[in-house]
Amino acid sequence: MNERRYEFARHQCIQRLPEPERSVYLFVEKRELSLADEAVSENHYVRLLQQQSPIFAAAEHFKMEAAVVFETVQRIEASLEAKVSEYEKRLKLIDYTDEFRLQGLCRGDERVKYYFLVEG
């Protein structure tokens, strides 16, 4: 559950980034993940990053200097570390499974849990 809360917090923090920074960051991240999926080893991944640089691809796509794209991505990643951690700590999960079952709002499947995510 902590991993999902972290991913939710990270997604929310990324969505709050101003444009065009958000688009540049998401473009680079998507390319990096695609290369990671394609790679068969860590060394292969590094070679793919060098050969098919997401930074250079983003620079071309957004008509920016590669150095500016790199600096933007680095700055965002540094700020996300602090922001995501802080935001994640404020998120609270409240288990409403029993209440939903008492109200007849869900099936009796014991494996399914119902939570509300609240920012505290």
Side-chain angles (χ1 to χ4, degrees):
M1 192 60 71
N2 285 339
E3 184 178 330
R4 288 187 179 166
R5 184 171 30 201
Y6 173 83
E7 287 300 321
F8 176 81
R10 186 177 183 282
H11 175 78
Q12 291 300 107
C13 289
I14 290 171
Q15 291 306 309
R16 292 176 181 168
L17 291 170
E19 285 295 346
E21 291 179 350
R22 178 177 54 228
S23 293
V24 169
Y25 184 79
L26 289 172
F27 182 94
V28 171
E29 182 179 58
K30 183 178 178 183
R31 291 286 174 106
E32 287 175 347
L33 291 172
S34 176
L35 293 176
D37 287 343
E38 186 179 328
V40 294
S41 69
E42 190 174 327
N43 288 335
H44 185 222
Y45 177 60
V46 172
R47 282 196 309 270
L48 288 173
L49 285 173
Q50 292 169 340
Q51 294 167 352
Q52 303 172 38
S53 170
I55 298 294
F56 288 133
E60 184 177 320
H61 180 80
F62 292 100
K63 311 280 189 267
M64 298 170 69
E65 294 291 324
V68 173
V69 172
F70 179 78
E71 289 170 7
T72 300
V73 169
Q74 293 297 310
R75 184 174 33 77
I76 290 170
E77 286 179 348
S79 74
L80 281 178
E81 282 186 44
K83 288 179 182 176
V84 170
S85 177
E86 179 185 314
Y87 185 64
E88 183 183 19
K89 288 176 186 173
R90 292 193 326 255
L91 295 175
K92 305 288 185 230
L93 285 174
I94 302 171
D95 186 347
Y96 271 82
T97 306
D98 291 338
E99 187 65 30
F100 274 36
R101 286 191 180 120
L102 286 172
Q103 299 295 324
L105 298 172
C106 63
R107 297 181 183 162
D109 188 349
E110 294 296 319
R111 297 172 295 165
V112 177
K113 298 287 184 184
Y114 296 90
Y115 293 95
F116 280 110
L117 184 63
V118 179
E119 184 176 344

